[in-house]
Amino acid sequence: MASKSTKSSLATLSLAAIGIVYGDIGTSPLYTMKEVFSKGHGLALNQANLLGVVSLIVWGLTIIVSLKYVTLILRADNRGEGGIMALMALAMSSVTQQSRWHYPVMLVGLTGAALFYGDGVITPAISVLSAIEGLEVATPAFQPYVVPVTVAVLVALYMVQHKGTAGIGKWFGPVVLVWFAALAAMGVSNIIENPAILAALNPLHGLLFLYNNGWLAFVALGAIFLAFTGSEALYADMGHFGRRPIRLAWFFVVFPALSLNYLGQGGLLLSNPAAVSNPFYQQLGAWSIYPLVLLATMATVIASQATISATFSVTHQAISLGFLPRMHVLHTSEREIGQIYIPLVNWLQLAVVVLAVIGFGSSSNLASAYGIAVTTTMLTTTILTFFVIRYQWKYNLLLCWTATGIFLFIDIVFFSANAMKIANGGWFPLVLGAVMIAILLTWQNGRRLIFANLKKHYIPLDDFLQSLFDFPPTRIEGTAVFFRAEGDGVPHALLHNLVHNKILHERTIFLTVFNQDIPTVPDTERVSVEALGHQCYQINVYYGFKDERDIPQALALSKAAGLEIAMMETSFFIARQTVISRVGRGMALWRDALFATMSRNARDAADYYRIPPNRVIELGAQVEI
């Protein structure tokens, strides 16, 4: 019975993975072949080139996705979690803070995360736009309505984000499974019509294509790469589904369906070169266009949903790791802790997505911007993986270079091919990435400067308490909780309270929150309590980057250590810091201003830590950077 239950659970997870994980790469057939043979690339549409292109796509899916991601990268998990932020945290913990590699590794990880935001903008734009463009194939009369309809679909998608995916998420897997079945069926149909395309399974055709076409082949690689966009998603979503369901979904459904469809599109173009204007929608003839537009729109909306949800997750992880200010985070499911909604991120992303759709106007124009974002993220993933397998797993250096060197070479080749499109749209994700890197580094560096400033006025807590109780102040009933930064001395809020109110609660708790470079911390390890004497205690609370910050819930766990805290008799003293920048000190003036703006607009600490508002006392403090 247990075996049947396990198989059922594995099948359910695999089906869900098909919908969430593979929606992005699954919609690539909508535009990849069209872009490879677009007039702008100047690549001749003949049998040799078709066999070469399809061969490169099929073998690219084998090497980049099957070997690199499904076989290697999925092993580099951070306690079951994947994604660029989880990998960066794992790599940073591998080299330690004292290592010369620590800051470069962090910079590589943040670059990948920043470009992921660019990917998160372009994926919904190009996916939905390419689906709606099928209407143009049906009749040119629909051409003026493609962009407005695309914008309407995207606005509707972002407007329902606050409801979460709990209700409609169960349909993602079945819908995308139908999509892959349609891809496979269309591919088989066209392969039967022209079986000569099966010669593309021989990798020699791909190598000959590169050799015979030289520069044109190199340029075409930028478009061929579109077939692999979405590979990062299967690693990013590992924490939701686990390795096995993701691998099963890839090898038994996604990989065969994609390979068959690309072979089928190649067979179609061998028989009918005129179909190159939009080979995807011409695979079955005019009767299939409207059903395919409907199915493609549903598939691309699901692919976009997965990207949007991933953006929320990456943002939440960045906040927890200290690279972004606290934001308002809503939980959209009572059962799934990972289903979150961040209003600010949602509306900012929608604004940029709509600008991208209107500004670029077509999936062909957006394709130039797409590749550079994804190739950079893939490149950073490969580099971080090297540090993990070398310094965390302690593998032999030659083995590490061999395991990652081949993939690094492939990533660099594709990155170089896409870099040629910077002037034609590739600048867009690079600008987005540069803005995000500036924000991430400014917040991280600003927090470091604040801590350095506070350290100047550092008063050791043990010495302070010893002198304080030589002449003890008036003790009043209740419990006071003072937040104390990691490695800090006496909290400023306590000093202000003693100076102005000249009292101390009968039980005083110093609370320090530690952010760990792991996804989750079990409740048994959440809290540690240290008695300091005179009814004073140091409580340390530990959170992983996926854990929800809930201080009342954490303090309830201190009961096991013999310290029971009644929330209605407890006051939380929080210092609200006002940042003041000084010319010639700290960061550049514009970064000081940016940090101060983010600090002023950061989510309230009490709200972030879920402390009841009526139990909070805020004390102001000015900090120079």
Side-chain angles (χ1 to χ4, degrees), residues 324-385:
L324 282 175
R326 297 183 299 265
M327 299 182 198
H328 191 52
V329 180
L330 299 175
H331 293 264
T332 59
S333 172
E334 295 180 0
R335 292 178 297 178
E336 298 292 334
I337 194 169
Q339 291 191 16
I340 58 175
Y341 167 69
I342 305 178
L344 178 62
V345 173
N346 185 71
W347 300 119
L348 284 177
Q349 190 177 32
L350 171 61
V352 181
V353 168
V354 170
L355 285 175
V357 171
I358 296 173
F360 285 90
S362 72
S363 61
S364 295
N365 294 335
L366 272 168
S368 299
Y370 201 11
I372 195 72
V374 182
T375 50
T376 308
T377 305
M378 284 187 172
L379 189 60
T380 58
T381 297
T382 303
I383 294 171
L384 293 175
T385 302

Side-chain angles (χ1 to χ4, degrees), residues 225-260:
F225 180 78
L226 293 172
F228 319 126
T229 55
S231 304
E232 282 286 327
L234 66 90
Y235 176 53
D237 287 311
M238 179 169 56
H240 294 117
F241 303 102
R243 290 193 197 98
R244 197 175 176 198
I246 290 175
R247 285 172 172 163
L248 287 174
W250 172 254
F251 285 115
F252 286 97
V253 176
V254 183
F255 185 34
L258 289 175
S259 300
L260 287 170

Side-chain angles (χ1 to χ4, degrees), residues 425-504:
W427 58 268
F428 180 66
L430 293 180
V431 169
L432 290 178
V435 170
M436 285 307 305
I437 289 176
I439 291 172
L440 293 166
L441 287 177
T442 297
W443 183 256
Q444 190 259 355
N445 202 35
R447 290 177 73 249
R448 181 183 60 79
L449 290 172
I450 283 182
F451 186 71
N453 182 284
L454 294 175
K455 289 282 282 187
K456 294 178 184 177
H457 310 289
Y458 176 85
I459 302 173
L461 183 60
D462 291 339
D463 295 345
F464 175 80
L465 291 178
Q466 186 175 345
S467 63
L468 177 68
F469 288 109
D470 285 342
F471 304 97
T474 303
R475 308 292 291 266
I476 62 172
E477 291 184 1
T479 299
V481 177
F482 294 92
F483 280 82
R484 180 172 174 240
E486 182 180 346
D488 198 7
V490 180
H492 282 223
L494 174 61
L495 295 174
H496 283 299
N497 188 49
L498 286 170
V499 168
H500 294 287
N501 298 324
K502 299 178 173 55
I503 54 94
L504 190 70

Side-chain angles (χ1 to χ4, degrees), residues 411-599:
D411 290 339
I412 290 173
V413 169
F414 277 118
F415 173 81
S416 302
N418 279 283
M420 297 174 57
K421 301 178 180 180
I422 290 177
N424 295 324
W427 58 268
F428 180 66
L430 293 180
V431 169
L432 290 178
V435 170
M436 285 307 305
I437 289 176
I439 291 172
L440 293 166
L441 287 177
T442 297
W443 183 256
Q444 190 259 355
N445 202 35
R447 290 177 73 249
R448 181 183 60 79
L449 290 172
I450 283 182
F451 186 71
N453 182 284
L454 294 175
K455 289 282 282 187
K456 294 178 184 177
H457 310 289
Y458 176 85
I459 302 173
L461 183 60
D462 291 339
D463 295 345
F464 175 80
L465 291 178
Q466 186 175 345
S467 63
L468 177 68
F469 288 109
D470 285 342
F471 304 97
T474 303
R475 308 292 291 266
I476 62 172
E477 291 184 1
T479 299
V481 177
F482 294 92
F483 280 82
R484 180 172 174 240
E486 182 180 346
D488 198 7
V490 180
H492 282 223
L494 174 61
L495 295 174
H496 283 299
N497 188 49
L498 286 170
V499 168
H500 294 287
N501 298 324
K502 299 178 173 55
I503 54 94
L504 190 70
H505 286 69
E506 64 179 354
R507 187 164 60 173
T508 301
I509 293 173
F510 302 98
L511 182 71
T512 303
V513 175
F514 289 84
N515 297 312
Q516 307 289 80
D517 290 338
I518 58 176
T520 59
V521 174
D523 283 348
T524 53
E525 302 172 17
R526 176 80 66 207
V527 174
S528 67
V529 179
E530 178 189 356
L532 303 177
H534 304 283
Q535 286 290 298
C536 294
Y537 300 88
Q538 171 67 44
I539 295 183
N540 295 331
V541 182
Y542 301 90
Y543 290 111
F545 55 75
K546 286 199 70 179
D547 287 327
E548 293 308 312
R549 275 60 178 162
D550 191 328
I551 292 298
Q553 186 182 69
L555 292 179
L557 297 173
S558 64
K559 184 178 180 180
L563 184 63
E564 188 170 358
I565 300 172
M567 196 55 54
M568 295 309 295
E569 298 175 6
T570 302
S571 298
F572 292 83
F573 288 80
I574 297 177
R576 177 177 284 274
Q577 296 168 339
T578 301
V579 178
I580 301 175
S581 61
R582 289 285 182 264
V583 178
R585 296 173 57 181
M587 301 179 289
L589 192 59
W590 69 267
R591 294 184 70 193
D592 283 345
L594 175 61
F595 178 79
T597 301
M598 289 192 291
S599 182

Side-chain angles (χ1 to χ4, degrees), residues 4-295:
K4 285 185 178 179
S5 176
T6 302
K7 288 180 179 178
S8 174
S9 176
L10 183 61
T12 302
L13 283 172
S14 299
L15 180 62
I18 289 172
I20 299 296
V21 177
Y22 293 112
D24 190 357
I25 195 171
T27 54
S28 295
L30 280 165
Y31 44 78
T32 299
M33 291 294 285
K34 179 179 71 171
E35 293 309 314
V36 172
F37 290 102
S38 69
K39 293 179 181 179
H41 292 143
L43 189 65
L45 181 58
N46 55 46
Q47 182 168 343
N49 287 345
L50 269 170
L51 291 175
V53 167
V54 175
S55 181
L56 286 174
I57 290 174
V58 172
W59 282 98
L61 291 171
T62 303
I63 296 171
I64 295 175
V65 187
S66 299
L67 293 181
K68 177 183 175 180
Y69 279 94
V70 178
T71 303
L72 175 64
I73 304 293
L74 280 186
R75 296 189 62 216
D77 66 289
N78 192 336
R79 299 199 182 187
E81 287 296 324
I84 190 69
M85 295 300 289
L87 185 63
M88 181 188 73
L90 186 62
M92 287 172 65
S93 66
S94 302
V95 296
T96 73
Q97 289 192 2
Q98 289 70 40
S99 169
R100 62 192 175 97
W101 290 111
H102 191 266
Y103 186 79
V105 165
M106 182 190 75
L107 201 58
V108 168
L110 291 182
T111 301
L115 268 296
F116 176 83
Y117 282 96
D119 184 13
V121 166
I122 299 173
T123 294
I126 192 173
S127 299
V128 177
L129 191 53
S130 60
I132 304 299
E133 281 173 347
L135 295 173
E136 292 180 286
V137 180
T139 169
F142 280 120
Q143 196 276 332
Y145 303 103
V146 169
V147 169
V149 170
T150 300
V151 170
V153 170
L154 289 168
V155 169
L157 174 62
Y158 279 88
M159 287 185 69
V160 299
Q161 288 303 307
H162 68 282
K163 296 182 180 295
T165 58
I168 60 173
K170 61 186 177 183
W171 298 106
F172 285 3
V175 169
V176 179
L177 183 61
V178 171
W179 169 255
F180 282 119
L183 291 182
M186 289 189 293
V188 169
S189 174
N190 284 289
I191 291 170
I192 291 173
E193 289 289 326
N194 202 329
I197 193 63
L198 290 174
L201 294 175
N202 182 350
L204 184 61
H205 285 287
L207 296 175
L208 287 173
F209 169 79
L210 296 175
Y211 178 77
N212 292 330
N213 288 282
W215 179 253
L216 283 178
F218 181 71
V219 173
L221 284 177
I224 290 171
F225 180 78
L226 293 172
F228 319 126
T229 55
S231 304
E232 282 286 327
L234 66 90
Y235 176 53
D237 287 311
M238 179 169 56
H240 294 117
F241 303 102
R243 290 193 197 98
R244 197 175 176 198
I246 290 175
R247 285 172 172 163
L248 287 174
W250 172 254
F251 285 115
F252 286 97
V253 176
V254 183
F255 185 34
L258 289 175
S259 300
L260 287 170
N261 194 261
Y262 284 119
L263 285 164
Q265 288 193 44
L268 169 68
L269 293 178
L270 281 177
S271 305
N272 179 20
V276 73
S277 60
N278 200 319
F280 178 84
Y281 280 111
Q282 298 186 52
Q283 290 181 88
L284 296 180
W287 67 268
S288 66
I289 293 177
Y290 291 114
L292 279 177
V293 168
L294 178 61
L295 183 58

